[in-house]
Amino acid sequence: MKTYRLNININVHPITVLAFLLLSSFAIKAQDCPPNIDFESGSFNGWQCYVGNTQAVGGQNVINLSPSAPQFDRHTIIPAIPGEVDPYGGFLTRSPNGSRYCVRLGNNKGGGQAEGMSYEFTIPADRNVYSLIYYYAVVFQDPNHEIYQQPRMVVDITNETDNQTIGCSSFYFVPYGTILPGFFESPNPGGSTPVWCKNWSAVTVNLNGLAGKKIKLFFKTADCTFQRHFGYAYIDVNSECSDEFTGALFCRDDTTVNVIAPYGYQAYTWYNSSFTQVLGNQQTLTFSPLPPSGTTVAVEIVPYSGYGCLDTLYAHLIDTLHVKADAGPDTFTCNNNPVPIGKPPKQGFIYSWTPTTGLSDPNVSNPFANPSSTTTYVLSIRHDGGGCMDIDSVVVRTPMLDDSLQLLGKTSYCLDNNDSAVLKVFPADSIQWYRNGTAIRGANGTRLNVRQSGTYYAMLFSREGCSVKTSEQPIEVETARKGIRYPFVWAVPDLPQGLQARQFGDSVYWSPGVYLDARNTYTSNYRGSTQQEYTVEIITAAGCITVDTQLVKIGKKMDIYVPSGFTPNGDGKNDVLRPTLMGIKELKSFKVFNRWGELIFETQKEYEGWDGKVKGLLPQQTDVFVWTAEAIGADGTTITRKGTSVLIR
């Protein structure tokens, strides 16, 4: 894998805030740019992405990049969502050139990351005058490190055919020193480190004199070299490329001509063709009345210090412009979700839509439409000089899918009780039910009988291509646990003896209630003088009922009984050595020792015993073992017992 290393001399162009580039086209006529250089396919098709890291080496900043597929949260396609803003800069994430997609390169996580993306194309052999306009917006932390340690953005534009860097169009931007015009400090930095931002701006890349050459655009961002501070930028590209000034081609019925010089320069001076008259000092030169067709004007452009080259360009004004409106293909909006209509804008044109109802902005070339009913929208387009009027229309249909999800029955039920849960949706052309995010095979009707626990929803589809997801509905389906008989408990007459039910479900009920201090708790106290058997009814939230049984026997006194022998042969009879507790409310300890006095088993649990193995692994042979037991009686006294038992194999 090829690795790109970028070495930057820190003494060349210090600047306080990073600027991020964005390519755009400007045209005398509608010239198509290379495919997807504008990201309008909603992808990185045609672009090569890169990932890597940044380091400070010998007082220089080094960006190491390797080709990669687009990486999550490092190369991000940003759709044009109305009203969505950058959290630091507060500016719209949608490019002002009206496109439907832009790119965010980098993120706000730091970590010493570096990202890049490049695009290669060949300028047509007959286009010796060629320019690209880029739009950019930037967000960079300014941790006040040394300049070679700061976050940064780098733009390299190269003539690959001749292996030459196009110096007048290649820059790097670092938050250090004097701030570039238009930058501001974020009011929401999210911490103590300042964050510098720049709202969307346009810059022109001059590629004149390079007809037939292969050009490479390479954009790079990098965090600080200490891996703690971030930098990222937004990039967008216009959908047209240019071989002349915007506005140089005008309509014969215009009343005004507005000629726009390249973007991103500090000063502009317009001259007549003989340089004997200054015509203006702004980026846009306006003629009213119209100049004669064939008029030539010149503009001297002065770059910001270190960011471009002084140059003089010529505009040839010709009155042969023709305009054709394009409202885009007929479309539909699903369940009030806005859809884009129209096409990306062209510079120097004015757009107007009617009716305005349901449009995000009726004065842009490609607004979002969200009508309440099927609507025909009419687009009017004219040149900014007033001429070349044309219209086109588009129909936006409004098929509706009801995303309601109805529950018939319970959200939690027991299969054994003949209960059920049924989910229901309204009819649609196609339906697919899902459980826990996985499609249920064959579940395509309006009703779904739920027989398993899970989270359910349905996807509904229309013939027009609309789709909608219902809300999610968790359903719990249970099967009742089998009832068991608890080990019997020995009680002493007229002394309290604790009884314990299995702890699951939402409620419990002991029956009968004779001799018990409580019937609806998991723990109850028996106090009586005769043997009694109880049923314990445990009910879950789903309604499943389990019935356990507890027998209470009566002993003469509080005591601990341990059998004199046991046979751990796995036949289910007398396999475990355990104490029998009579009138005992708490077992403090039960211990087993071998003939050498070594402790081989210990427990504090009433129904846990020794299985004849050391640590549950090594079976012991036939022998005599010593046991000790200590417990708290029902009256609070301490009872201790000691004895021997024979293990018989």
Side-chain angles (χ1 to χ4, degrees):
M1 181 177 290
K2 186 176 180 181
T3 299
Y4 296 83
R5 293 177 60 88
L6 173 65
N7 295 282
I8 298 176
N9 189 316
I10 66 170
N11 298 314
V12 180
H13 302 304
I15 184 170
T16 298
V17 179
L18 301 167
F20 209 160
L21 292 176
L22 186 46
L23 290 179
S24 177
S25 314
F26 87 115
I28 185 171
K29 48 196 171 209
Q31 301 279 2
D32 289 334
C33 274
N36 201 45
I37 196 172
D38 53 5
F39 307 107
E40 287 305 283
S41 71
S43 71
F44 286 97
N45 290 344
W47 288 84
Q48 173 63 61
C49 294
Y50 304 81
V51 293
N53 57 63
T54 180
Q55 298 174 311
V57 180
Q60 289 190 342
N61 182 276
V62 178
I63 296 176
N64 302 296
L65 292 175
S66 297
S68 75
Q71 298 294 303
F72 174 76
D73 203 33
R74 299 178 76 173
H75 309 92
T76 308
I77 296 289
I78 305 292
I81 300 176
E84 186 164 308
V85 300
D86 180 83
Y88 300 96
F91 51 78
L92 293 173
T93 58
R94 181 181 187 181
S95 170
N97 71 355
S99 66
R100 290 173 179 161
Y101 298 96
C102 67
V103 167
R104 187 185 69 229
L105 193 60
N107 54 49
N108 65 346
K109 295 181 174 59
Q113 295 178 339
E115 298 82 21
M117 62 182 187
S118 67
Y119 193 100
E120 295 187 12
F121 66 97
T122 299
I123 299 175
D126 60 348
R127 301 277 296 279
N128 212 38
V129 177
Y130 197 91
S131 299
L132 294 172
I133 301 173
Y134 61 80
Y135 281 79
Y136 69 93
V138 299
V139 178
F140 285 94
Q141 283 185 314
D142 180 12
N144 198 27
H145 299 325
E146 294 295 331
I147 185 173
Y148 59 88
Q149 300 164 337
Q150 292 277 81
R152 64 196 55 226
M153 187 279 299
V154 179
V155 179
D156 280 337
I157 301 180
T158 55
N159 171 358
E160 295 288 285
T161 302
D162 301 325
N163 194 26
Q164 294 177 347
T165 297
I166 303 174
C168 292
S169 299
S170 298
F171 315 109
Y172 79 92
F173 301 84
V174 183
Y176 191 91
T178 303
I179 304 171
L180 277 180
F183 281 81
F184 61 92
E185 186 172 353
S186 170
N188 304 300
S192 59
T193 303
V195 175
W196 289 96
C197 309
K198 192 176 192 302
N199 201 344
W200 288 100
S201 298
V203 173
T204 301
V205 177
N206 186 343
L207 299 173
N208 291 344
L210 297 176
K213 304 293 186 180
K214 179 184 286 188
I215 305 299
K216 181 176 183 179
L217 315 176
F218 205 157
F219 304 96
K220 308 163 191 177
T221 52
D223 299 330
C224 84
T225 60
F226 288 102
Q227 303 188 12
R228 293 194 296 269
H229 305 101
F230 65 80
Y232 65 87
Y234 298 92
I235 305 173
D236 199 9
V237 182
N238 282 0
S239 300
E240 295 181 349
C241 287
S242 160
D243 57 7
E244 259 293 1
F245 287 78
T246 298
L249 191 65
F250 60 94
C251 304
R252 291 180 180 178
D253 58 345
D254 277 337
T255 59
T256 302
V257 170
N258 299 301
V259 187
I260 304 173
Y263 288 91
Y265 288 83
Q266 186 174 28
Y268 302 87
T269 305
W270 291 89
Y271 298 93
N272 60 4
S273 59
S274 61
F275 289 86
T276 58
Q277 182 183 359
V278 174
L279 303 179
N281 298 104
Q282 302 298 320
Q283 183 185 0
T284 300
L285 178 64
T286 299
F287 291 92
S288 184
L290 302 185
S293 183
T295 297
T296 298
V297 294
V299 61
E300 182 182 74
I301 49 177
V302 179
Y304 292 98
S305 178
Y307 292 91
C309 300
L310 180 68
D311 204 351
T312 300
L313 305 174
Y314 297 85
H316 305 285
L317 312 184
I318 304 173
D319 64 353
T320 58
L321 179 63
H322 296 280
V323 174
K324 184 172 179 58
D326 189 351
D330 292 346
T331 185
F332 55 86
T333 172
C334 298
N335 287 36
N336 299 318
N337 292 316
V339 294
I341 57 176
K343 292 294 181 69
K346 301 173 183 177
Q347 285 186 303
F349 294 95
I350 297 173
Y351 301 87
S352 177
W353 293 84
T354 57
T356 62
T357 304
L359 295 182
S360 60
D361 187 341
N363 298 309
V364 298
S365 68
N366 53 351
F368 283 84
N370 187 17
S372 58
S373 60
T374 297
T375 301
T376 298
Y377 290 102
V378 177
L379 168 65
S380 298
I381 180 175
R382 60 184 173 85
H383 195 226
D384 63 4
C388 291
M389 175 71 73
D390 194 35
I391 63 172
D392 191 23
S393 64
V394 60
V395 177
V396 180
R397 302 190 309 279
T398 56
M400 294 293 293
L401 289 171
D402 193 320
D403 61 358
S404 301
L405 178 65
Q406 296 177 290
L407 170 65
L408 308 178
K410 303 176 180 179
T411 60
S412 181
Y413 75 92
C414 184
L415 282 174
D416 300 340
N417 295 347
N418 294 319
D419 287 333
S420 66
V422 177
L423 296 174
K424 183 180 178 181
V425 295
F426 285 95
D429 294 325
S430 177
I431 299 171
Q432 176 62 61
W433 289 93
Y434 289 80
R435 172 178 174 268
N436 296 335
T438 301
I440 304 173
R441 189 173 183 179
N444 308 113
T446 58
R447 296 167 62 96
L448 179 70
N449 189 8
V450 178
R451 306 292 292 177
Q452 287 182 283
S453 295
T455 298
Y456 292 83
Y457 65 88
M459 290 294 301
L460 282 64
F461 305 89
S462 72
R463 291 187 182 91
E464 292 87 353
C466 287
S467 64
V468 66
K469 176 185 175 182
T470 69
S471 60
E472 297 184 352
Q473 177 62 63
I475 302 289
E476 182 180 359
V477 182
E478 290 187 4
T479 301
R481 301 190 192 188
K482 292 183 178 180
I484 64 171
R485 175 174 290 275
Y486 301 156
F488 62 79
V489 173
W490 287 93
V492 175
D494 300 321
L495 289 178
Q497 178 63 48
L499 305 179
Q500 178 67 56
R502 286 194 287 173
Q503 290 191 338
F504 65 89
D506 277 15
S507 65
V508 62
Y509 190 76
W510 296 76
S511 183
V514 61
Y515 302 137
L516 298 180
D517 64 350
R519 302 182 67 180
N520 57 358
T521 61
Y522 288 96
T523 300
S524 186
N525 287 310
Y526 167 93
R527 193 180 187 118
S529 57
T530 60
Q531 178 172 301
Q532 180 66 51
E533 185 171 79
Y534 297 97
T535 59
V536 185
E537 187 178 80
I538 303 171
I539 305 175
T540 69
C544 288
I545 300 174
T546 298
V547 179
D548 292 342
T549 305
Q550 174 69 75
L551 176 63
V552 179
K553 293 185 176 183
I554 302 298
K556 295 181 179 180
K557 63 178 181 177
M558 295 180 296
D559 206 349
I560 302 173
Y561 169 76
V562 178
S564 59
F566 71 110
T567 56
N569 56 9
D571 64 356
K573 300 178 181 179
N574 202 25
D575 285 330
V576 178
L577 183 68
R578 65 164 64 92
T580 298
L581 307 178
M582 300 181 180
I584 300 299
K585 67 178 181 180
E586 181 185 1
L587 177 65
K588 301 294 288 185
S589 71
F590 176 65
K591 301 178 181 179
V592 179
F593 303 85
N594 61 19
R595 64 173 56 248
W596 295 280
E598 297 172 333
L599 178 65
I600 56 176
F601 177 76
E602 180 178 14
T603 186
Q604 293 178 309
K605 298 179 180 179
E606 180 177 352
Y607 298 109
E608 186 175 69
W610 182 45
D611 62 359
K613 299 177 183 177
V614 176
K615 297 182 179 181
L617 299 173
L618 183 63
Q620 300 297 289
Q621 298 303 311
T622 298
D623 206 342
V624 177
F625 294 86
V626 177
W627 58 264
T628 64
E630 180 180 355
I632 304 298
D635 61 357
T637 59
T638 299
I639 300 173
T640 59
R641 296 290 185 266
K642 181 178 180 180
T644 60
S645 290
V646 179
L647 186 157
I648 302 173
R649 291 289 183 186

